[in-house]
């Protein structure tokens, strides 16, 4: 059976609203599997999945691995350290050698924008983008959408502001595409040095002050300052960034309505977000992490060509 998502999941830009909703709807019943004592169903038994991580990751790598194992797939993790990538082997050669060992899917994280597509066009296995450079991080976008939909029922007409280092953020791009397709209004807020010059062309509102963003929004998705991608000069200092753009409980206390706080992690506590906000009543940050496993199960399941109805059966341990 062919997948309703096509061969690969490379980003949310080219998915339809129906495809995105299908993934979210499929994830909902799959959540129950992780609540059981025995967290395993046979849905992907016999499938071999390679997790190819060329950049550091905690949440994405581990939740893909949990998702794969909970659906009974056989999984192999390959990191650049300790593999022949260190000897100069190319991404495509690595993947083709893995394919020669008869694999079915590759989950790839890579520092170069477009690496997932480049790979998908050259191998037969399904490719899932787990974050490519500053381009997209589709499963993070999907888990953010699911977390908001869980709270609100629907995203239509809701206002979400993406705050901080949008310039270096693949999470921002996947969120903007996904939120807009599901009918939300999207804004960004941050210093101009950390916003792409053409950001307004993506149909988003731009706030220069975090106070204005808090007044407008139903939810803030607070991005990590990606210090490792900055070669310097973007902000005067971390302390200054926190003073002007930090999401603090004092600022949230002036919000005119209930406001949800998301963060994709890892957090720079005391920089883009204060600890009492990250751990406080507005925060849905750990719900995002929980939903990450279910969303990744749904993506694997749909790419494997299963029908959405079978998700219900899988939940029952079919
Ligand atoms: N959100 C996210 O991608 O986190 P990791 O880098 O830990 O995978």
């Amino acid at each position: 059976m062919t997948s309703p998502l096509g061969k690969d999941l490379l980003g949310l830009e080219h998915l339809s609203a129906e495809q995105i909703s299908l993934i979210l709807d499929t994830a909902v019943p799959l959540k129950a599997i992780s609540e059981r004592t025995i967290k395993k169903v046979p849905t992907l038994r016999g499938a071999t999945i390679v997790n190819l991580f060329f950049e550091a990751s905690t949440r994405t790598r581990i939740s893909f691995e949990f998702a794969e194992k909970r659906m009974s797939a056989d999984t192999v993790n390959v990191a650049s350290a300790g593999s022949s990538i260190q000897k100069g082997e190319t991404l495509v050669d690595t993947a083709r050698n893995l394919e020669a060992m008869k694999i079915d899917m590759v989950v790839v994280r890579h520092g170069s924008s477009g690496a997932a597509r480049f790979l998908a066009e050259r191998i037969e296995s399904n490719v899932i983008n787990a974050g490519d450079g500053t381009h997209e991080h589709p499963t993070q976008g999907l888990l953010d959408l699911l977390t908001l939909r869980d709270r609100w029922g629907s995203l239509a007409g809701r206002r979400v502001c993406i705050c901080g280092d949008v310039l270096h953020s693949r999470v921002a791009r996947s969120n903007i595409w996904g939120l807009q397709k599901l009918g939300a209004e999207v804004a960004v807020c941050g210093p101009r040095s950390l916003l792409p010059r053409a950001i307004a062309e993506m149909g988003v509102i731009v706030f220069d002050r975090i106070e204005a963003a808090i007044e407008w929004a139903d939810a803030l998705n607070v991005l990590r300052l990606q210090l490792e991608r900055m070669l310097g000069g973007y902000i005067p200092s971390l302390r200054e960034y926190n003073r002007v753009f930090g999401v603090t409980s004092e600022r949230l206390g002036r919000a005119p309505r209930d406001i949800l706080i998301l963060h994709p992690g890892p957090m720079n506590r005391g920089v883009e977000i204060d600890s009492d906000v990250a751990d406080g009543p507005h925060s849905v940050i750990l719900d995002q992490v929980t939903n990450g496993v279910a969303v990744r199960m749904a993506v694997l399941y749909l790419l494997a060509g299963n029908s959405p109805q079978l998700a219900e059966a899988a939940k029952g341990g079919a």
Side-chain angles (χ1 to χ4, degrees), residues 70-122:
R70 286 177 192 177
M71 301 184 94
S72 301
D74 295 316
T75 67
V76 176
N77 296 319
V78 181
S80 35
S83 75
S84 290
I85 295 155
Q86 280 192 316
K87 299 178 193 165
E89 186 166 62
T90 65
L91 172 64
V92 170
D93 276 339
T94 300
R96 285 195 181 135
N97 277 273
L98 294 167
E99 274 201 314
M101 296 182 228
K102 307 299 171 197
I103 60 167
D104 300 292
M105 295 187 185
V106 177
V107 177
V108 61
R109 170 168 288 196
H110 200 283
S112 299
S113 302
R117 176 171 299 282
F118 182 80
L119 191 59
E121 287 170 352
R122 285 162 180 79

Side-chain angles (χ1 to χ4, degrees), residues 4 13-14 17 37 49 56 72 99 102 125 128 148 167 181 201 203 231 263 273 285 297 312:
E13 181 179 0
H14 300 295
T37 317
I49 304 177
S72 301
E99 274 201 314
K102 307 299 171 197
S125 307
I128 302 169
L148 293 172
L167 183 67
K181 281 168 201 265
E201 287 168 24
L231 297 175
H263 192 302
I273 189 167
I285 293 169
M297 287 170 91
E312 277 295 340

